[in-house]
Amino acid sequence: MSLLIVVGFGLKVGHLLLLCYWIVSVISMNWFISSGIMDGKTGLLSGSGKMWLRCWEKISGNSCYIQHHYSQYFGSKRVPKEWWRKLLITWVFGWTIVSLWIFWYLSSQATEKRKESLASMCDERARMLQDQFNVSMNHIQAMSIMISIFHHGKNPSAIDQRTFARYTERTAFERPLTSGVAYAVRVLHSEREQFEKQQGWTIKRMDTLEQYPVHEDDYAPEASEPSPIQKEYAPVIFAQDTISHVVSLDMLSGKANRENVLSARASGKGVLTAPFKLLKTNRLGVILTFAVYKTDLPSNATPNERIQATDGYLGGVFDIESLVEKLLQQLASKQTILVNVYDTTNHSHPISMYGSNVSDDGLQHVSALNFGDPFRKHEMRCRFKQKPPWPWLAITTSIGILVIALLVGYIFHATVNRIAKVEDDCQKMTELKKQAEAADVAKSQFLATVSHEIRTPMNGVLGMLDMLMDTDLDVTQQDYVRTAQDSGKALVSLINEVLDQAKIESGRLELEAELFDLRAILDDVLSLFSGKSPGKGVELAVYISDRVPEMLIGDAGRFRQIITNLMGNSIKFTEKGHIFVTVHLVEEVIGSIEVETESSSKNTLSGFPVADRQHSWEGFRTFCQEGSTCPLSSSSSDLINLIVSVEDTGVGIPIEAQSRVFTPFMQVGPSISRTHGGTGIGLSISKCLVGLMKGEIGFVSIPKIGSTFTFTAVFTNGSSHPNEYKSLPINNQSKSTSSEFQGMKALVVDPRPVRAKVSRYHIQRLGIRVEVVPDLNQGFANISSGNTVKMVLVEQEVWDRDPVKKIDSIPPNLFLLANPIGSSRTSDATSGDYYTPPVIMKPLRASMLSASLQRAMGVGNKGNPRNGELPGFSLRNLLLGRKILIVDDNNVNLRVAAGALKKYGADVVCAESGKKAISLLKPPHHFDACFMDIQMPEIDGFEATRRIRDMEHSINNLIQRGEIPVEAPQNISNWHVPILAMTADVIQATHEESLKCGMDGYVSKPFEAQQLYQEVSRFFQSASNGNI
């Protein structure tokens, strides 16, 4: 593997070097040429230098040529198929050879490693066997010296058979490889008779036992034949108990032993016999023999002197099989090889001393053995017990490399074959891209056209119905007209939702930045739904934390749309209980425990259990663990991160349908649209709008308990940039009347903490200090104690439970807080002596609460402003006497727009085309403003506006240069008539185009008093200053 890594690295380095070489060659040549070094006039280069430059230029040119052809043939579809096929075959064949070589190399490496392992283990065993044999041989030699001293050197002898047996038995551990030790004395023939009488036994012959070996159990020493007559004998007189059966045997009568004994006494060294079967055991063994000499033998004695000085022979018996087996048992953990021991004195016919020749592996290692006998040679041959394992590393590596090479070849093959197709596809994709861009433009134009074409007739329908309401109608006719208006507004709302969804899918939905009052918007939303909840007995309420700023900067319309969608769903699916909207800062929810999130019925608005709102924001990224600050949290005083919850006690959402709540056009079930209506895209649009506001939305719902939807949205603090953004018209009624109630104290009687908190919030908006008590008795006691309470507001539930009979005990300015359905029930139940105080209807709103208190207490303006009329600068005050030009090619739209503006006192002039509008608005003229339709034949509203601005610009330049005197009837030195786009198109791009062409704003069809006031007030509030 290391070789492969080196080869791969070398190839990469070579490729990199070639690339660097090409780059350096090009750069260097350019530098030479540009620096003028090659100019002959400089004389900086000699003839050899110029020759090197010419060579360098040629090499660089060749490299550029190669690079050019590489990019030409491998970067295009010019590669011939036949040439590429041959190259692919060469590639595959070459890598096949490489993979085979890698297999051979890794296999040989594994074999060499296996050989080294076998050699190491075999040499280790041979060394141990040889070391232990040398130890035994040294001890036997030492015993021969001991016998010479204590047996032959003393008279009488200090050694007998018993002493010898006990000594050899106790010192057996010093001879780990011997089976036994025996001593044979040298006896001449003349001494035989006396020796046998002295020993009490006859010298036995040994050769018959060698020729006819007997089993251990059948051996009987007394049955052996006497040794034949010979010159001298070597009968065994001392023997270790393990081989005591050799006592009386003549060692010179055996062929192997005779040669061994004669060689040992002549050489003075230990001599080994050839392997033979031992007596009695019939096991293969050898005998190591040392001659025992007289003590006075010099160290440099000749062989004859040694023979003459010989007294006897000491032999050690080695049972090769058992001894080698015992040795190998010490290496039991390494028994992975087979060991054979051979006597190789005769190389042609080696004698096996241990082991078998059976082996499954042809791999063999031979280790030499030196047992101290220079005339005999031994060796150990080792083999593995098992076959060598498959060379999986070599197999997998070679196959892997071959597979990779084949894959690379396939990739190259597929790449080259697809280059032409990719080039064709690229061209096709370019065409498709152009078509897609054209389709996207067409889709946007389609949305604008559809929006205009649908909303234009709806503008006529709703406008005419509105004008019809201003005529004398009876009750039935008014009901019919209101029904038609509601249906028309519902259709416009549906169209807006569908167009919003289309804009979301096309990614064209954008948010505006405007200054708005969050509390006023929620009051308006409450007013919108207050007429739909009384019939059901559902209580509506809004609570906004005091830490939320009064003014915010953001898209108020889209925020209103989210709240309207969520509350609309709650109204549809809630039959009893309440719908509660809360607004807090995210920091409050993260770091405070004062926000009520318990689902207990004792701490809810209506007493019904609700779904715990904490579970609705569990998945928000805004809420980090352990209360740490998150990126979406307000990082500065300018950013306001709101969290809004809409809680209801409706039917809830089934668990199986909760996963598709935010899917467009998906509803909980098919019966929902038939029972409650709707298209199923409100929540989908809301989720997209929340995302655009850098927030998140989630919900928790429990069937038959209710649902809580929560979302976050990031706005900018309006107090930091009050004049940088356009502002929505603000209802200042509550602020104008709050000074009338400033410093007053009110007492709220309500046992429910959440409901009392909502009442406190709305009353405090009027500048009134509020104290809350749970029951009437405590409240009256509080008043009796001398507290200056100006008004008492009692929850209807408390009053119904304990109405007051005596008028004298009623404090002044007592009010009931009641739902509409509860109010009618109270008026029916109270009669006779019971006192019925004035009722303030819920849902509570600052404007409604202020008007009710003013009427009851006789403070300030007692009247209630007409529904839809804006305080301060009303539309009538703004438009009265203003001369306004309306341009539209649709006669119905002209009549509707003219009627709407005349309704507020404007002097209206109508024009049916852009050409006529240009002629009417040519300075000088007497128009204060112009409402111009965008889509008109011949000259549309954009082009007409451009031409009008060009005319005004030309006139203004002439006036500034003094070519035209300022003698116009209105004495205007800078002509710029406000032009408002009058469009049924709600596409953001249309709004941007209208501003780009010179328009000052736009109003959507049908007219809405709020938007009309917002746009008109920007121009006419400053009319008193002289210039429009």
Side-chain angles (χ1 to χ4, degrees):
M1 290 301 294
S2 59
L3 179 63
L4 293 178
I5 294 174
V6 170
V7 172
F9 180 75
L11 292 175
K12 293 180 179 179
V13 170
H15 188 199
L16 182 61
L17 289 176
L18 287 175
L19 182 61
C20 293
Y21 157 74
W22 176 77
I23 295 174
V24 170
S25 63
V26 174
I27 295 175
S28 60
M29 282 302 301
N30 291 334
W31 179 77
F32 271 110
I33 295 172
S34 62
S35 61
I37 294 178
M38 296 184 66
D39 190 356
K41 296 180 180 180
T42 59
L44 296 177
L45 295 176
S46 61
S48 59
K50 294 180 180 180
M51 182 183 67
W52 278 109
L53 281 178
R54 285 194 295 269
C55 294
W56 185 264
E57 184 179 4
K58 186 174 181 180
I59 293 172
S60 302
N62 291 335
S63 63
C64 294
Y65 177 80
I66 293 172
Q67 180 72 16
H68 169 72
H69 281 276
Y70 177 85
S71 60
Q72 179 180 7
Y73 284 97
F74 287 90
S76 65
K77 53 184 179 181
R78 296 184 179 182
V79 180
K81 292 184 178 179
E82 190 65 28
W83 180 85
W84 174 248
R85 188 178 293 108
K86 292 180 181 180
L87 181 61
L88 182 63
I89 293 173
T90 304
W91 172 273
V92 173
F93 179 75
W95 278 104
T96 302
I97 299 299
V98 171
S99 63
L100 291 176
W101 178 83
I102 291 172
F103 174 77
W104 170 82
Y105 176 78
L106 293 179
S107 298
S108 62
Q109 290 290 326
T111 303
E112 289 297 326
K113 187 175 181 181
R114 186 174 172 84
K115 286 182 180 179
E116 292 176 0
S117 177
L118 178 62
S120 175
M121 290 189 289
C122 192
D123 291 342
E124 179 185 12
R125 285 156 176 76
R127 184 174 60 255
M128 291 183 63
L129 180 61
Q130 183 173 295
D131 291 345
Q132 294 195 18
F133 187 87
N134 290 335
V135 171
S136 300
M137 183 177 66
N138 293 335
H139 191 265
I140 293 172
Q141 186 176 12
M143 286 184 63
S144 68
I145 299 172
M146 183 189 67
I147 291 173
S148 174
I149 296 172
F150 292 101
H151 179 62
H152 295 286
K154 288 184 179 293
N155 190 15
S157 172
I159 301 175
D160 57 9
Q161 169 60 31
R162 181 180 179 185
T163 303
F164 186 86
R166 291 179 62 186
Y167 176 77
T168 54
E169 180 181 359
R170 293 183 179 183
T171 59
F173 67 91
E174 295 183 353
R175 305 180 303 278
L177 298 184
T178 59
S179 301
V181 181
Y183 174 68
V185 68
R186 182 182 183 185
V187 179
L188 299 177
H189 179 67
S190 60
E191 300 172 349
R192 176 176 178 175
E193 182 177 357
Q194 183 182 359
F195 176 80
E196 290 178 346
K197 288 180 181 181
Q198 183 181 357
Q199 296 294 331
W201 40 260
T202 305
I203 300 175
K204 307 295 189 305
R205 65 186 303 168
M206 190 177 180
D207 53 352
T208 56
L209 295 177
E210 292 178 353
Q211 296 175 2
Y212 307 103
V214 296
H215 194 268
E216 181 179 0
D217 297 333
D218 299 334
Y219 176 73
E222 62 276 3
S224 300
E225 298 178 3
S227 176
I229 298 174
Q230 50 189 6
K231 185 177 179 180
E232 63 178 292
Y233 307 94
V236 177
I237 60 174
F238 301 143
Q240 192 174 344
D241 289 342
T242 56
I243 57 172
S244 60
H245 57 275
V246 300
V247 174
S248 74
L249 293 179
D250 182 11
M251 296 294 104
L252 293 177
S253 62
K255 180 180 179 181
N257 287 330
R258 182 180 180 85
E259 295 176 356
N260 191 35
V261 168
L262 296 178
S263 177
R265 73 181 183 181
S267 63
K269 299 180 180 180
V271 179
L272 283 172
T273 65
F276 68 96
K277 291 187 177 181
L278 299 176
L279 298 179
K280 194 174 182 179
T281 61
N282 288 329
R283 295 170 65 90
L284 197 64
V286 294
I287 296 177
L288 175 66
T289 304
F290 280 94
V292 177
Y293 301 103
K294 290 179 172 53
T295 57
D296 56 355
L297 180 69
S299 58
N300 57 350
T302 64
N304 289 330
E305 290 175 347
R306 291 180 184 278
I307 294 173
Q308 293 299 324
T310 300
D311 285 335
Y313 313 97
L314 182 65
V317 181
F318 292 85
D319 187 347
I320 299 298
E321 295 183 8
S322 60
L323 295 180
V324 175
E325 191 69 31
K326 180 180 178 181
L327 172 65
L328 296 179
Q329 285 179 357
Q330 300 177 17
L331 303 171
S333 60
K334 303 179 181 179
Q335 291 297 316
T336 59
I337 62 174
L338 295 174
V339 175
N340 292 323
V341 180
Y342 289 90
D343 185 328
T344 58
T345 305
N346 186 355
H347 287 283
S348 59
H349 299 285
I351 302 173
S352 175
M353 301 175 63
Y354 174 79
S356 62
N357 294 323
V358 180
S359 176
D360 295 331
D361 191 359
L363 192 62
Q364 177 180 278
H365 180 76
V366 178
S367 297
L369 295 173
N370 183 10
F371 291 147
D373 188 349
F375 302 104
R376 306 207 69 85
K377 296 181 180 180
H378 302 82
E379 62 184 28
M380 179 180 289
R381 300 177 183 178
C382 303
R383 295 180 178 86
F384 283 105
K385 285 184 177 181
Q386 299 177 349
K387 292 182 178 180
W390 286 86
W392 291 113
L393 179 62
I395 293 173
T396 55
T397 303
S398 58
I399 292 178
I401 291 176
L402 182 60
V403 169
I404 292 173
L406 294 176
L407 288 176
V408 171
Y410 174 77
I411 291 171
F412 281 146
H413 176 69
T415 302
V416 172
N417 288 342
R418 286 182 61 86
I419 284 178
K421 186 176 184 301
V422 168
E423 291 179 349
D424 294 339
D425 291 345
C426 183
Q427 186 175 0
K428 292 179 181 178
M429 289 297 295
T430 303
E431 296 296 330
L432 292 175
K433 180 176 178 292
K434 293 179 181 178
Q435 295 177 9
E437 291 174 350
D440 190 38
V441 173
K443 182 177 180 180
S444 300
Q445 294 175 350
F446 172 76
L447 288 176
T449 304
V450 168
S451 171
H452 184 274
E453 296 301 327
I454 295 178
R455 292 167 64 92
T456 295
M458 287 305 303
N459 172 49
V461 172
L462 293 177
M464 289 299 178
L465 290 174
D466 189 56
M467 294 171 65
L468 183 61
M469 282 295 293
D470 293 334
T471 62
D472 294 332
L473 301 175
D474 57 25
V475 177
T476 303
Q477 291 171 336
Q478 290 180 357
D479 181 63
Y480 291 163
V481 173
R482 289 194 188 95
T483 302
Q485 283 182 321
D486 293 340
S487 300
K489 291 179 181 179
L491 180 57
V492 171
S493 176
L494 176 60
I495 293 171
N496 290 338
E497 287 185 348
V498 173
L499 291 175
D500 283 344
Q501 184 64 31
K503 286 190 286 185
I504 290 172
E505 293 177 355
S506 62
R508 295 179 178 272
L509 188 62
E510 299 177 2
L511 299 182
E512 296 182 355
E514 54 193 2
L515 191 67
F516 68 94
D517 185 352
L518 176 66
R519 291 166 176 79
I521 285 181
L522 287 180
D523 284 350
D524 292 342
V525 175
L526 275 183
S527 300
L528 177 65
F529 290 104
S530 59
K532 301 180 180 179
S533 61
K536 295 184 174 183
V538 177
E539 183 174 354
L540 302 181
V542 168
Y543 173 79
I544 300 178
S545 170
D546 294 337
R547 294 180 58 183
V548 177
E550 290 287 336
M551 304 301 295
L552 298 175
I553 297 174
D555 196 326
R558 295 301 183 182
F559 182 79
R560 183 201 304 267
Q561 185 178 355
I562 298 172
I563 298 293
T564 303
N565 285 340
L566 296 179
M567 288 194 67
N569 286 338
S570 297
I571 288 290
K572 286 193 293 186
F573 298 105
T574 304
E575 299 294 333
K576 59 182 179 179
H578 67 268
I579 298 172
F580 187 25
V581 182
T582 60
V583 183
H584 294 87
L585 296 181
V586 168
E587 289 82 353
E588 290 185 84
V589 179
I590 293 178
S592 175
I593 60 172
E594 297 178 358
V595 180
E596 290 85 71
T597 56
E598 298 86 352
S599 58
S600 172
S601 61
K602 296 181 180 180
N603 198 22
T604 62
L605 187 69
S606 62
F608 287 87
V610 297
D612 189 353
R613 70 182 67 174
Q614 282 185 334
H615 297 299
S616 64
W617 62 61
E618 285 180 346
F620 286 5
R621 297 186 304 273
T622 308
F623 297 88
C624 295
Q625 296 179 354
E626 300 180 0
S628 59
T629 304
C630 300
L632 291 179
S633 298
S634 300
S635 59
S636 66
S637 58
D638 289 345
L639 292 181
I640 304 298
N641 196 355
L642 299 183
I643 179 168
V644 184
S645 294
V646 179
E647 172 187 284
D648 67 60
T649 56
V651 297
I653 304 172
I655 296 177
E656 64 274 6
Q658 292 184 6
S659 60
R660 59 177 186 270
V661 163
F662 295 107
T663 304
F665 304 105
M666 294 293 291
Q667 293 188 330
V668 173
S671 61
I672 294 299
S673 60
R674 294 194 299 267
T675 305
H676 300 282
T679 60
I681 59 175
L683 290 178
S684 173
I685 295 173
S686 298
K687 183 176 182 180
C688 177
L689 295 176
V690 169
L692 291 176
M693 294 179 183
K694 300 179 182 179
E696 299 170 275
I697 188 170
F699 72 96
V700 59
S701 182
I702 303 176
K704 299 182 181 179
I705 296 295
S707 304
T708 300
F709 280 79
T710 300
F711 70 91
T712 60
V714 179
F715 297 98
T716 304
N717 194 340
S719 59
S720 303
H721 311 276
N723 300 321
E724 295 181 11
Y725 297 88
K726 67 176 183 178
S727 61
L728 293 177
I730 303 171
N731 190 344
N732 294 317
Q733 182 184 5
S734 61
K735 295 183 180 180
S736 62
T737 56
S738 62
S739 59
E740 302 168 356
F741 302 102
Q742 194 72 33
M744 293 185 180
K745 184 176 182 180
L747 185 67
V748 175
V749 182
D750 193 339
R752 297 185 187 277
V754 175
R755 190 168 56 191
K757 186 176 181 179
V758 173
S759 301
R760 180 203 295 266
Y761 156 71
H762 288 285
I763 297 171
Q764 284 180 341
R765 290 176 64 188
L766 302 180
I768 302 173
R769 292 181 293 109
V770 180
E771 182 179 351
V772 179
V773 295
D775 54 57
L776 279 174
N777 294 331
Q778 186 175 347
F780 290 163
N782 198 342
I783 296 173
S784 302
S785 63
N787 290 336
T788 58
V789 176
K790 293 296 183 180
M791 61 192 77
V792 179
L793 296 95
V794 182
E795 185 63 37
Q796 175 190 329
E797 174 186 342
V798 178
W799 186 264
D800 291 343
R801 192 167 54 242
D802 188 17
V804 180
K805 291 183 179 181
K806 297 181 180 180
I807 304 300
D808 298 337
S809 63
I810 300 299
N813 300 328
L814 176 65
F815 303 94
L816 289 185
L817 301 177
N819 288 318
I821 191 170
S823 175
S824 61
R825 189 168 59 247
T826 301
S827 61
D828 294 338
T830 56
S831 60
D833 297 333
Y834 290 99
Y835 170 69
T836 304
V839 177
I840 298 177
M841 305 302 299
K842 294 184 179 181
L844 296 179
R845 302 181 299 280
S847 58
M848 178 274 300
L849 185 61
S850 174
S852 300
L853 294 177
Q854 285 176 347
R855 287 195 303 267
M857 300 176 63
V859 179
N861 182 15
K862 301 180 181 180
N864 192 14
R866 275 183 51 189
N867 186 21
E869 186 176 24
L870 295 169
F873 291 101
S874 65
L875 274 174
R876 178 170 292 276
N877 293 332
L878 290 175
L879 297 178
L880 183 62
R882 301 289 183 175
K883 189 172 184 179
I884 297 177
L885 176 65
I886 299 179
V887 185
D888 200 320
D889 62 316
N890 189 297
N891 187 40
V892 176
N893 288 340
L894 279 176
R895 294 176 61 187
V896 171
L901 295 176
K902 289 178 180 179
K903 176 180 178 180
Y904 300 110
D907 183 11
V908 178
V909 176
C910 297
E912 296 82 7
S913 65
K915 185 181 295 186
K916 186 175 182 180
I918 294 172
S919 62
L920 291 175
L921 292 178
K922 182 177 181 181
H925 58 77
H926 300 278
F927 291 101
D928 297 308
C930 173
F931 288 78
M932 183 174 295
D933 187 28
I934 291 178
Q935 296 187 2
M936 295 184 294
E938 296 184 7
I939 300 178
D940 61 13
F942 296 145
E943 180 62 25
T945 302
R946 290 191 189 95
R947 296 187 183 184
I948 293 170
R949 295 306 182 207
D950 290 341
M951 290 190 305
E952 292 175 344
H953 182 68
S954 300
I955 295 296
N956 292 335
N957 288 338
L958 294 175
I959 293 176
Q960 290 177 1
R961 291 197 298 265
E963 298 179 11
I964 299 179
V966 184
E967 296 179 356
Q970 295 179 332
N971 197 23
I972 297 175
S973 60
N974 187 20
W975 286 94
H976 183 88
V977 61
I979 301 178
L980 300 177
M982 190 171 56
T983 177
D985 183 6
V986 293
I987 304 298
Q988 180 70 17
T990 304
H991 180 204
E992 296 173 356
E993 181 66 22
S994 64
L995 298 178
K996 188 183 299 183
C997 72
M999 293 184 175
D1000 299 283
Y1002 78 102
V1003 291
S1004 61
K1005 301 176 184 178
F1007 286 160
E1008 294 181 359
Q1010 181 116 345
Q1011 187 188 21
L1012 189 61
Y1013 174 81
Q1014 175 185 351
E1015 295 295 333
V1016 171
S1017 61
R1018 294 195 291 121
F1019 309 108
F1020 292 160
Q1021 280 184 353
S1022 60
S1024 58
N1025 296 335
N1027 293 340
I1028 298 180

